[in-house]
Amino acid sequence: MQIGIFGTGVVGQTLASALIGKGHAVMIGTRDPAATLNRTTGTVAGPTTFSEWHGANPRVQLGTFADAARFGEVLVNATSGGGALPALQAAGAEALGDKVMLDISNPLDFSKGMPPTLSVCNTDSLGEQIQRAFPDLRVVKTLNTTTAAVMVNPGAVAGGDHTMFVCGNDAQARATVARLLGEWFGWRDVIDLGDITASRGAEMLLPVWLRLWGALGTPIFNFKIAR
Ligand code: NAP
């Protein structure tokens, strides 16, 4: 499958590596591919620059957001909260079309320091803002409630016995994403929360997630819905 990933940060890199490892073709989208390859600081995984990471993952293609949108049969949004709408606008509605997009972004606002606040919540969400801006795009909010390493390897926590959510306005797209999460990464318990307004709750889990990170001293954990 051809997958277009928006975002050159830890999430974009982690998903790209994992999907290439599964035999998929991946293009990562960024604002300026040349600048991203020359970047020596910024959104990097651990101590490596993006170019060092890319050198170790040469099969991952790099393009603009529009290039990645056109390339992907399925799209993934792994941009920052504030960058999500600008990135999708840069890609353009025509390139995005009516594709299925896994939206992993969280509306975290770090402008007033730590802990971050949510730039939108309660009566709206970033997932809804994206869906409103691109009505044809089939946005499915998912994977935003766990850390990147667990997204691609749920087995790293409790043998994979924990929960992921999907929500979005298109029931078929939600089912597709639930299936892909299983096929790509081995997610077993995926709960369908319904339409995209459920992304309010999914995004509002982040303040709890951040406190758990502090309390547990590791990001390698996840929510399990016991029932
Ligand atoms: P990040 O640093 O939050 O985002 C990096 C990406 O955002 C880059 O590709 C950057 O574009 C893009 N971006 C930033 N400002 C932009 C703007 N004004 N216009 C267009 N694009 C812009 O990366 P991350 O840590 O991998 O997180 C990605 C998303 O996943 C976030 O929303 C985060 O909350 C969510 N998330 C992260 C984790 C995690 O484990 N880190 C877990 C769950 C959810 P360039 O490539 O052009 O610089």
Side-chain angles (χ1 to χ4, degrees):
M1 178 180 275
Q2 292 197 176
I3 300 156
I5 298 178
F6 287 27
T8 55
V10 171
V11 176
Q13 293 177 19
T14 303
L15 266 73
S17 294
L19 290 166
I20 286 283
K22 297 278 182 189
H24 297 289
V26 178
M27 182 182 287
I28 285 187
T30 183
R31 281 171 285 194
D32 180 340
T36 296
L37 280 174
N38 289 324
R39 192 164 69 200
T40 54
T41 58
T43 50
V44 296
T48 62
T49 63
F50 185 86
S51 62
E52 283 172 322
W53 174 84
H54 194 243
N57 293 270
R59 289 172 57 205
V60 177
Q61 301 176 58
L62 188 66
T64 63
F65 290 121
D67 292 334
R70 281 190 289 266
F71 178 84
E73 297 165 71
V74 170
L75 305 177
V76 175
N77 176 36
T79 56
S80 66
L85 283 167
L88 270 74
Q89 279 151 3
E94 193 179 326
L96 294 167
D98 63 355
K99 294 181 180 180
V100 172
M101 171 175 269
L102 287 72
D103 175 30
I104 304 179
S105 63
N106 283 305
L108 297 179
D109 178 1
F110 294 93
S111 64
K112 297 182 185 67
M114 292 293 281
T117 55
L118 296 172
S119 61
V120 57
C121 63
N122 290 330
T123 55
D124 199 3
S125 62
L126 184 54
E128 289 165 270
Q129 291 178 340
I130 293 170
Q131 186 63 82
R132 279 200 301 276
F134 299 93
D136 293 338
L137 187 66
R138 291 184 286 162
V139 180
V140 177
K141 192 87 189 182
T142 193
L143 293 179
N144 67 306
T145 52
T146 197
T147 199
V150 177
M151 293 177 195
V152 300
N153 184 18
V157 176
D161 182 19
H162 47 92
T163 308
M164 186 42 61
F165 309 109
V166 292
C167 66
N169 290 344
D170 186 306
Q172 198 178 8
R174 298 196 301 270
T176 297
V177 170
R179 176 176 56 77
L180 291 175
L181 291 179
E183 288 177 8
W184 287 351
F185 308 129
W187 283 94
R188 302 199 299 265
D189 183 27
V190 180
I191 299 181
D192 183 342
L193 296 176
D195 69 75
I196 194 67
T197 61
S199 66
R200 297 173 194 179
E203 293 171 9
M204 286 192 285
L205 279 174
L206 261 292
V208 181
W209 188 93
L210 288 163
R211 290 302 288 241
L212 284 164
W213 184 12
L216 300 173
T218 173
I220 307 300
F221 64 86
N222 190 32
F223 299 105
K224 172 178 167 59
I225 306 305
R227 66 233 194 247

